[in-house]
Amino acid sequence: MSTIKDVANEANVSVATVSRVLNNNGYVNEDTRKKVLKAIEKLDYKPNAVARSLFKKQSKTIALIVPDIKNPFFPEIARAIEDVLNNNDYTLILCNSDEHEDKEKKYFDVMKQKYVDGVIIVTSTLAPNYIEKNNIPIVSLDRPIHQSIPSVSVNNYEGAKEAVQYLKAIGCKKIAHVRGPVSVINADERYKGYLSEVCNEPWFSEEFIINGNYNVLETAKATMVLLSKHRDIDGIFSGNDYMALGVLKAATQMGIRIPQDLSLIGFDGIQLCELTSPEITTMAQPIYELGESAAKLLLNMIEGKAVNPAQQEFKVSLKIGQSTKVLR
Ligand code: RIB
């Protein structure tokens, strides 16, 4: 396989001249350019991507670090990010961190070695100063890390309040909440939104809050314990759709009919929940738009363009399925 040095020898020019022609930067007179291009064609030279990235200290690659690739929310958001990057000749590298800080730090080390041009990250573990000292363009997605780091997220608190208000409006008398992991900012905000709507209700008990950890099987187990103890709960707000699948599984196993006996509302609007029976009512995030905005924000940062606003917050909207009683 020919190298850049073979091309330089064939065209009787320096390696630096060949590189200027390849990267279209710096002055090269027309005759020299033609000689180099003729040599490239004759030797069928293919620029080595690794060599190019070492020379230019850029690789036209972007890393997306997500906490749990099993959660259908993330493949949907990755799809939008990949579409934007593809249209701008960037390649996407997908990393799954399992919310482990040491794994996320390892990814950052590898990204620096490979001159990854930027990172879109969903994390609740890395400290802002760690991220900033890596000196790599970064956008936090779904979970804002710090006001110094550009972010794209949704109005989790307001969306959660609206979910519980809807359950009340359709007549639910006792409403529980399946929360996501403690200290994950969007889970905490959704929990606070739920609490703001129920804390003054005479029926409310802390026992009506269970932790599903954004995990479908953990949620199913916790829901069975909850409903065994409080069979009069007639409404559940699940902190995301993935956990709502766990509630559905538990109710089905217990012979509890949704929505006749128990109304269920989720949060995300993942496509999978349109395929369940019943289709799950949810507070839908504009998932594709979130990914698209995060990718465009990052590319603007890489290209040195203005980044305003650096903190983008989108609204969620009620998407009515069949898992909630009909509003009369
Ligand atoms: O990070 C997991 C959850 O946070 C997803 O299900 C989605 O709700 C995101 O906001």
Side-chain angles (χ1 to χ4, degrees), residues 67 71 73-74 122 142-143 156 186 190 214 239-240 267-268 285:
N71 179 337
F73 174 82
F74 292 111
V122 181
D142 176 49
R143 304 180 187 181
N156 292 290
N186 57 22
R190 294 170 199 172
Y214 283 157
N240 74 2
F267 197 108
D268 279 346
Q285 299 197 50

